[in-house]
């Protein structure tokens, strides 16, 4: 019988999930998710938004900012995100500032992104409500060079210089994180250069994770080889005397991965079915909790069954809800029934909060929706939960 008795938790408790929302805010969410629940409207609307932004049509930015952008993004700048950070903090939910601007792919944009990530680390150091920073390696380095390195191809002198600059930017970010004791996620990306990203992440862990998990790698469990990758990373961490940080997600590039694998005539790295991914994700949770002496994890998921499983595993292995080695995370504007109920029960919980100029962030968000078939089902779930809370309030 475990010593740690976790408080009861229900992801159906909409009173807790929407406690921060006024009746007016709830009605606004209802209208937005009703629209998003219409697949045809989403596809048409996404195209119209892209076109309107491209042509700088009057009023476009204002309308987007007051609707979909406001729901899913914290603001255009770090400063604009401060009210969101404070509001989430009131409910014991942390903020992970996700700079979602895609650069031009040159040194100027890579350096600008690095400076922005360093600014999020500096703010995290000063704030009790920002437990993690996060960045994509392709935000600070050339994806084509990462791919070439993974393929074992020789780099030209210019490419070698570029790759060394990428490594210096990554080190600058991780060094600042270590200096301030701020945990930093290195996001997962496409499989054809993920091995290069993994290697860079593990080099940073060897350097900066000697006392605790500062640098965290990301594992997309829709790939059938990722649990094996976690197990190898754990063994390497034990042998190397450092701590492993792992953010566990299902994945974000499923259609693209299948398409590129077919074009290149290689095996699709994605699990054959959704249940297979769910099983692998849950197995990874079990493995990580069983090895929590060396592994810290963040369950980055909107899946209620996996989130509930992790709370049960923590209780089974006598890990208290607020143990700093285990976190839950969801996207801002979605799955409040998970985030707010988990935080209410004392679990470490955070929201990924994308930010950046509207015109720069919207293509990223729209493409993410296009690439992630799970979004459609999630918006239906959100819509039903909002309906339930509106009905509950009417019945009071």
């Amino acid at each position: 019988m475990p010593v740690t008795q976790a408080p009861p938790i229900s992801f159906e408790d909409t009173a807790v999930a929407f406690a921060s929302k006024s009746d007016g805010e709830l009605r606004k969410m209802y209208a937005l998710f009703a629209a998003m629940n219409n697949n045809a409207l989403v596809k048409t609307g996404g195209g119209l938004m892209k076109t309107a932004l491209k042509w700088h049509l009057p009023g476009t930015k204002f309308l987007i900012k007051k609707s979909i952008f406001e729901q899913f993004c914290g603001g255009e700048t770090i400063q604009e995100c401060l009210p969101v950070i404070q509001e989430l903090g009131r409910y014991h939910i942390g903020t992970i500032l996700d700079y979602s601007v895609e650069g031009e792919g040159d040194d100027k944009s890579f350096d600008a992104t690095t400076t922005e990530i360093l600014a999020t680390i500096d703010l995290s150091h000063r704030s009790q409500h920002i437990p993690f920073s996060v960045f994509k390696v392709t935000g600070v380095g050339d994806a084509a060079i990462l791919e070439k390195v993974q393929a074992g191809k020789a780099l030209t002198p210019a490419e070698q210089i570029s790759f060394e600059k990428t490594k210096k930017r990554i080190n600058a970010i991780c060094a600042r994180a270590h200096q301030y004791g701020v945990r930093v996620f290195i996001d997962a990306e496409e499989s054809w250069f993920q091995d290069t990203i993994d290697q860079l992440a593990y080099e940073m862990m060897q350097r900066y994770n000697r006392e605790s998990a500062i640098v965290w790698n990301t594992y997309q469990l829709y790939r059938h080889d990722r649990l094996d990758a976690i197990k190898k990373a754990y063994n390497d961490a034990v042998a190397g005397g450092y701590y492993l940080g792992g953010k566990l997600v299902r994945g974000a590039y499923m259609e693209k991965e299948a398409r590129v694998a077919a074009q290149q005539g290689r095996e699709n790295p994605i699990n054959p079915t959704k249940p297979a991914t769910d099983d692998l994700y849950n197995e990874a949770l079990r493995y990580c909790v069983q090895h929590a002496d060396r592994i810290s994890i963040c369950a980055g998921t909107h899946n209620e069954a996996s989130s509930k499983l992790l709370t049960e595993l923590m209780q089974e292995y006598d890990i208290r809800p607020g143990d700093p080695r285990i976190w839950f995370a969801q996207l801002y504007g979605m799955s409040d029934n998970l985030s707010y109920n988990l935080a209410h029960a004392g679990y470490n919980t955070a929201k990924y909060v994308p930010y950046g100029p509207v015109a720069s962030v919207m293509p990223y968000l729209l493409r993410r929706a296009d690439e992630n078939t799970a979004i459609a089902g999630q918006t239906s779930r959100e819509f039903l939960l909002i309906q339930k809370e509106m009905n509950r309030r009417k019945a009071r």
Side-chain angles (χ1 to χ4, degrees):
M1 186 76 176
V3 176
T4 303
Q5 290 297 319
I9 186 169
S10 169
F11 297 139
E12 298 294 326
D13 191 338
T14 58
V16 171
F18 299 110
S20 67
K21 301 292 187 290
S22 67
D23 290 349
E25 289 169 332
L26 205 60
R27 284 193 294 271
K28 187 175 179 180
M29 287 175 65
Y30 177 86
L32 181 61
F33 278 103
M36 290 179 64
N37 210 28
N38 184 323
N39 287 338
L41 183 61
V42 168
K43 288 186 178 298
T44 305
L48 289 174
M49 275 192 280
K50 289 177 185 177
T51 301
L53 285 168
K54 181 179 178 181
W55 290 98
H56 304 287
L57 297 182
T60 300
K61 178 180 173 181
F62 177 82
L63 289 172
I64 292 175
K65 193 167 183 179
K66 290 300 179 182
S67 57
I68 188 170
F69 184 90
E70 189 176 76
Q71 177 66 28
F72 298 110
C73 299
E76 294 195 79
T77 64
I78 291 177
Q79 192 67 27
E80 281 190 17
C81 292
L82 295 180
V84 169
I85 295 167
Q86 290 301 317
E87 177 66 13
L88 290 171
R90 280 182 58 213
Y91 294 88
H92 309 291
I93 297 172
T95 291
I96 304 167
L97 289 172
D98 184 11
Y99 184 57
S100 299
V101 173
E102 298 174 1
E104 300 300 317
D106 54 26
D107 280 343
K108 183 179 178 181
S109 70
F110 294 148
D111 288 340
T113 297
T114 302
T115 299
E116 191 70 25
I117 303 307
L118 291 172
T120 68
I121 293 172
D122 292 347
L123 181 60
S124 177
H125 174 56
R126 301 192 304 270
S127 171
Q128 60 179 328
H129 301 312
I130 307 176
F132 295 91
S133 186
V134 61
F135 72 99
K136 284 182 178 295
V137 171
T138 54
V140 299
D142 190 330
I145 293 177
L146 300 177
E147 182 178 356
K148 198 169 179 180
V149 170
Q150 180 161 319
K153 296 178 180 177
L155 301 182
T156 67
E159 288 171 336
Q160 188 62 50
I161 290 171
S162 178
F163 189 48
E164 292 304 319
K165 287 181 179 178
T166 299
K167 291 195 281 189
K168 285 182 180 178
R169 294 184 191 107
I170 293 170
N171 185 66
I173 291 168
C174 295
R176 183 76 61 88
H178 180 261
Q179 177 187 351
Y180 287 152
V182 173
R183 291 157 290 209
V184 60
F185 291 139
I186 298 178
D187 267 346
E189 303 193 53
E190 288 89 343
S191 63
W192 47 94
F193 53 86
Q194 183 60 47
D195 289 355
T196 310
I197 293 173
D198 288 346
Q199 186 55 43
L200 292 168
Y202 297 140
E203 287 175 10
M204 293 298 101
M205 286 187 199
Q206 289 173 37
R207 192 172 298 170
Y208 298 115
N209 285 14
R210 293 291 168 178
E211 297 87 24
S212 64
I214 293 293
V215 180
W216 298 44
N217 200 17
T218 303
Y219 300 93
Q220 299 189 109
L221 272 304
Y222 68 179
R223 283 184 54 177
H224 53 69
D225 62 347
R226 289 299 86 184
L227 178 53
D228 290 337
I230 292 172
K231 290 177 178 179
K232 182 180 185 305
Y234 169 78
N235 290 329
D236 288 346
V238 171
Y242 59 91
Y243 291 89
L244 176 65
K247 181 179 60 161
L248 275 53
V249 301
R250 276 169 169 75
Y253 309 100
M254 186 166 68
E255 288 84 359
K256 187 176 183 181
E257 287 282 0
R259 184 173 66 250
V260 172
Q263 290 170 351
Q264 296 180 350
R266 57 182 174 81
E267 181 190 7
N268 187 348
I270 308 301
N271 284 312
T273 64
K274 172 68 161 59
T277 291
D278 292 338
D279 289 344
L280 193 64
Y281 190 95
N282 293 339
E283 193 178 344
L285 289 179
R286 289 189 187 92
Y287 180 84
C288 290
V289 172
Q290 289 166 356
H291 297 84
D293 60 313
R294 184 68 60 173
I295 304 178
S296 294
I297 61 166
C298 175
T301 180
H302 293 187
N303 187 286
E304 295 176 22
S306 293
S307 299
K308 187 75 184 301
L309 172 64
L310 183 51
T311 66
E312 292 166 351
L313 287 168
M314 291 174 70
Q315 188 160 352
E316 179 183 346
Y317 287 90
D318 195 25
I319 299 173
R320 62 184 176 82
D323 191 294
R325 295 170 296 178
I326 299 183
W327 283 78
F328 297 78
Q330 294 80 39
L331 291 172
Y332 180 65
M334 299 184 75
S335 297
D336 286 349
N337 66 313
L338 290 181
S339 307
Y340 282 79
N341 279 295
L342 284 164
H344 185 70
Y347 292 94
N348 296 320
T349 310
K351 286 284 198 183
Y352 251 68
V353 179
Y355 78 97
V358 172
S360 300
V361 172
M362 285 314 301
Y364 158 82
L365 289 177
L366 291 170
R367 187 166 62 256
R368 186 167 193 163
D370 288 342
E371 289 175 341
N372 194 343
T373 54
I375 292 292
Q378 189 61 37
T379 54
S380 297
R381 175 67 168 149
E382 301 287 340
F383 185 51
L384 293 173
L385 288 166
I386 293 166
Q387 278 184 314
K388 180 180 176 182
E389 176 59 11
M390 291 175 72
N391 291 333
R392 186 193 71 83
R393 293 185 185 188
K394 287 177 185 175
R396 283 185 304 189

